[in-house]
Structure formats: C-alpha cells, structure tokens
C-alpha cells in the first residue's frame, strides 16, 4: 500500500546539486516544489526532467533572502500539495574577493542568501510542519569551507559555518517533531566548479584529484544519495548531525 505523498521543498533546486537532489527524489512517491532565483530556462528544464518520472512537480521563483518571497514559496507548496513535509535548504551563491576588496554589498548578498535564507525557510516551513501530525524534516546544505575556511571567500565561509551551527540550534529547538541535519559536500563536479577551477585542463583536474583519498571528484548524484537517506524514515533517529560527503579529503 502506497503511503502519504510527502511534499518536499528544495531551494536552489533547478541546477547543480539541487537539481541532482530533485531528480533523485522525483523517482519517489513525493511532490516537489523547486525554488529558483532567476534562471527561468534552467527551471523549465528541471521541471521537464522531473516530470519524466513524476507529475507532481512545481517550480517557484523567489529570493530566499527576502521573507516575503519565502512566504510565497511555502504557501505555493501548501496550496498545491497540502503540506510541507521536507525542506531542503540548498540555495547559495558565491562572490569571491579578497578581504580588502570585498564590499559591504558582497558580504550582504552572500550572507543573506546562504545563511539568512536558511533562517527564513526554516522558520516559515517549521510553522507548517508543527501543525502537521507527522511533523517534518529539514536538511541544510553547507560546505567544507564552512569548517576549514579558504582565502578570498570570507563571506561564503562565514555563512556556511553559520548554517552548520544553525542546524544544531534548529534540531534542539524543533525536536522531537522535526528532525534537522546538515550535509556538507566536498569538491563536487558541477558547471560552477568546472568553470571556477578549470577542470577541463587535465593538470588542474589531476591536482584536485590527488588531494582526495578516494582519488576522484565527487558527483552531485552522490550528494543526492546522502540527502535522500537523511530525509527518509530510515534516518528517523538522526538529528542535529553533519554528514560530510567529500571522498575523505577533510576528516573533521
């Protein structure tokens, strides 16, 4: 017997890791709400791909840094599908500059999207989840640089570190009705990392691979596999945890 069709909201769910998560989950008995910021073409393609296996898919444009956009996003999920059972906070941006070249706007845009957006989404989605008999699950996507740091990314690293701590705070405050965990991808091959790190060049690719114990760069699908487990009932006794998916590069 097929159970209740859960509604899953994925911010930044139409490209990169977010799209891999959406495609993985589309093969399950769920309804998907895929948020995107501005790239309508990618959103349309994500919708097309997901609908190859699942007709219960909705795209929703919005800036997670703006509370009114998040309210509209969550309302769309409730109106179309009747609930919000899982929130995956994946939306994020990079604006890399050195400490002395970084502007206040560079700081605000990255921190507001990557960290305040998680706050907005978790706060609003959890209000709905707490009204539901079965509660819900929140899964945050952070980054290894939120633990280790890196040059020319103080805004991004600070925001992603904040997401890791926010995960613990949310897990404590929302238990036992809502589980909250965090996935921390390592070096994952996406169009962004290919462009930023020139992975089309064999020597650059080799340098990255040699730093990873498993000897290769990860794929978005491998992150999606971990996400799918953590939001499932098989992970029902796991909350407040961070799971690093990085091929052993950073053993924190």
């Amino acid at each position: 017997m097929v159970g209740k069709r859960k509604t899953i909201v994925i911010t930044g769910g139409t490209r990169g890791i977010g799209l891999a998560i959406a495609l993985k989950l589309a093969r399950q008995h769920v309804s998907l709400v895929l948020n995107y910021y501005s790239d309508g073409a990618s959103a349309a393609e994500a919708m097309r791909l997901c609908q190859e296996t699942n007709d219960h898919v909705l795209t929703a444009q919005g800036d997670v840094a703006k509370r009114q956009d998040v309210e509209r996003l969550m309302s769309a999920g409730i109106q179309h599908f009747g609930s919000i059972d899982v929130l995956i906070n994946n939306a994020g941006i990079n604006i890399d500059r050195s400490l002395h070249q970084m502007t206040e706007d560079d700081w605000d845009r990255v921190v507001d999207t990557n960290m305040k957006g998680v706050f907005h989404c978790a706060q609003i989605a959890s209000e709905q989840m707490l009204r539901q008999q079965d509660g819900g699950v929140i899964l945050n996507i952070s980054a290894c640089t939120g633990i280790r740091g890196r040059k020319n990314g103080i805004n991004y690293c600070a925001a992603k570190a904040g997401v890791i701590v926010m995960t613990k705070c949310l897990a404590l405050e929302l238990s036992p009705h809502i589980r909250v965990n965090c996935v921390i991808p390592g070096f994952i091959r996406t169009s962004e990392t290919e462009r930023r790190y020139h992975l089309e060049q064999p020597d650059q690719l080799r340098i990255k691979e040699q730093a990873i114990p498993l000897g290769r760069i990860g794929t978005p699908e491998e992150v999606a596999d971990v996400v799918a487990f953590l939001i499932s009932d098989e992970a029902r006794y796991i909350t407040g945890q961070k799971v690093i998916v990085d091929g052993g590069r950073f053993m924190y």
Side-chain angles (χ1 to χ4, degrees), residues 186-190 212 216-223 245-247:
F187 202 92
I188 305 298
R189 188 159 198 160
T190 64
I212 301 170
R216 61 178 177 81
I217 293 172
T219 68
E221 291 73 22
E222 288 171 316
V223 179
V245 187
D246 73 342

Side-chain angles (χ1 to χ4, degrees), residues 94-157:
N94 271 293
I95 302 176
D96 287 358
R97 304 195 200 287
S98 68
L99 172 64
H100 296 116
Q101 291 179 328
M102 186 168 292
T103 67
E104 185 174 0
D105 184 61
D106 295 335
W107 174 273
D108 288 345
R109 284 184 61 201
V110 170
V111 173
D112 284 357
T113 298
N114 294 11
M115 186 164 67
K116 188 166 75 172
V118 171
F119 164 73
H120 284 323
C121 291
Q123 185 180 58
I124 295 169
S126 65
E127 290 174 351
Q128 172 64 25
M129 291 176 181
L130 290 171
R131 289 193 288 266
Q132 298 169 177
Q133 182 177 357
D134 296 333
V137 177
I138 296 174
L139 194 288
N140 299 324
I141 306 294
S142 183
C144 283
T145 49
I147 301 173
R148 184 174 183 269
R150 64 174 167 81
K151 293 174 64 176
N152 301 325
I154 191 172
N155 49 0
Y156 183 83
C157 297

Side-chain angles (χ1 to χ4, degrees), residues 67-88:
R67 184 175 181 83
Q68 63 269 28
D69 285 17
V70 175
E71 289 173 341
R72 188 171 65 248
L73 167 65
M74 300 304 168
S75 293
I78 296 167
Q79 290 169 9
H80 280 79
F81 302 125
S83 65
I84 298 176
D85 302 287
V86 178
L87 166 65
I88 299 173

Side-chain angles (χ1 to χ4, degrees), residues 4 18 30 37 43 48 53 71 85 90 110 136 146 148 154 156 191 199 202 209 220 226 233:
K4 173 183 177 290
V30 301
Y37 175 55
R48 185 190 70 78
T53 56
E71 289 173 341
D85 302 287
N90 173 72
V110 170
R148 184 174 183 269
I154 191 172
Y156 183 83
S191 58
L199 298 182
E209 290 176 336
V226 176
D233 290 341

